[in-house]
Amino acid sequence: MFRFLGYRIAMALATASHGKEIVMPNKEIALVTGANKGIGLQIATELAAIGLTVIIGARDPEKGAKAANSIEGDIHVVQLDVTDRTSVEAAAAYIGAEFDHLDVLVNNAGIVRPGSSSDPFPTDFSFNDLTKAPMDAVREVWETNVFGLITVTQAMLPLLRKSAAARIVNIGSTGGSLSWNSRPDNDHRKMFGTYSTSKSAAHAVSLAFAFALEEEGIKVNIACPGHTATALNNFSGARSIQEGAREAVRLAMVGPDGPTGTFSDEDGPVEW
């Protein structure tokens, strides 16, 4: 059953395998942006399996609903376009009205290239070369990967501050590692451009949030999924979405004594 509330859409799918409603009082609430497919959907699936109430943030509510139907657990969908402040604020209002607070925010939404992910994968990557990339293309990538992250985090902070142990997990990328890309023997540095620099900026933004929120006990960490096969890279990655989601799920479940201000994958710290 769906409820359309302006920019918001809610869906309750709290059913167990035997078809009865799952009653889990005092469950933690998690929001995963860009969660209608790929790594975001896998993170949502695993958090729901752990027992969290999971809110799927999706630009297209119909795609979000389709994703929600593929997950068992207490799943809700909210229309959320991280580049649209009105949409973000409406999503925050919906979560506040329905759940009062938020325990986990996973900023997963991200794009590699301008345009719709449903468009044919490009053969011309000139938009990634900052010596000639059209500024509209650069702005589009940065609007999602950097400014969208800031917008969503700011909007959700009042809800996170109501949690006893709030956690923010931002999806980063080794591709944005300044240390790694500065090595002359690293072939990836040839690809260091619009997308990679947006991730470098997202890493810096994550640190800024971690430092600002440290005294409040809100954890902010960056998870690197690695080169995972998703629509972002035309499924060219060598890692599965299960592998790509692993570190984000771990960081989403850290306790009050857990780390903050870290950048890691499942093998440990990643170079900044």
Side-chain angles (χ1 to χ4, degrees):
M1 178 179 182
F2 296 88
R3 285 190 297 163
F4 292 88
L5 300 172
Y7 276 87
R8 307 178 291 284
I9 175 175
M11 181 179 186
L13 293 175
T15 54
S17 59
H18 47 68
K20 296 183 179 179
E21 186 176 1
I22 300 172
V23 179
M24 296 185 68
N26 303 319
K27 290 172 63 175
E28 290 198 322
I29 313 297
L31 168 65
V32 185
T33 67
N36 60 284
K37 62 182 179 180
I39 294 173
L41 177 56
Q42 185 63 29
I43 293 169
T45 300
E46 295 189 23
L47 291 178
I50 292 170
L52 278 68
T53 292
V54 178
I55 305 164
I56 289 176
R59 285 184 299 179
D60 184 335
E62 291 186 4
K63 292 180 179 178
K66 182 178 179 180
N69 275 309
S70 70
I71 304 175
E72 292 187 4
D74 189 6
I75 311 298
H76 302 254
V77 178
V78 65
Q79 195 280 336
L80 178 56
D81 180 347
V82 304
T83 68
D84 182 346
R85 178 173 289 278
T86 301
S87 168
V88 173
E89 291 176 350
Y94 160 73
I95 295 169
E98 290 291 313
F99 305 102
D100 181 63
H101 73 282
L102 194 63
D103 299 288
V104 177
L105 168 62
V106 181
N107 283 307
N108 167 76
I111 61 174
V112 170
R113 57 192 171 97
S116 172
S117 60
S118 61
D119 295 339
F121 202 76
T123 55
D124 178 8
F125 281 82
S126 59
F127 64 84
N128 193 55
D129 184 345
L130 287 177
T131 65
K132 57 185 177 182
M135 284 308 301
D136 286 348
V138 176
R139 287 191 179 95
E140 187 172 340
V141 173
W142 278 60
E143 279 291 344
T144 296
N145 296 355
V146 184
F147 304 122
L149 185 157
I150 297 171
T151 300
V152 172
T153 303
Q154 287 183 346
M156 300 302 162
L157 270 178
L159 299 172
L160 289 161
R161 286 184 167 120
K162 292 184 177 183
S163 170
R167 290 90 71 196
I168 299 171
V169 180
N170 297 330
I171 302 302
S173 172
T174 304
S177 166
L178 299 179
S179 296
W180 185 58
N181 282 287
S182 66
R183 298 177 185 174
D185 61 345
N186 182 3
D187 287 339
H188 183 273
R189 61 190 290 162
K190 299 173 184 177
M191 299 173 60
F192 194 78
T194 298
Y195 171 74
S196 295
T197 55
S198 77
K199 282 301 186 179
S200 301
H203 299 164
V205 164
S206 300
L207 270 184
F209 275 115
F211 300 157
L213 297 170
E214 190 168 15
E215 291 186 1
E216 297 182 56
I218 298 177
K219 310 295 184 182
V220 185
N221 294 292
I222 308 168
C224 176
H227 192 206
T228 303
T230 68
L232 290 180
N233 55 39
N234 204 26
F235 301 96
S236 63
R239 290 165 57 81
S240 68
I241 57 171
Q242 291 80 8
E243 291 172 318
R246 189 174 295 155
E247 183 65 1
V249 172
R250 184 188 74 83
L251 290 171
M253 299 307 297
V254 297
D257 296 329
T260 193
T262 67
F263 180 20
S264 61
D265 59 22
E266 68 264 38
D267 294 324
V270 175
E271 292 183 280
W272 290 95

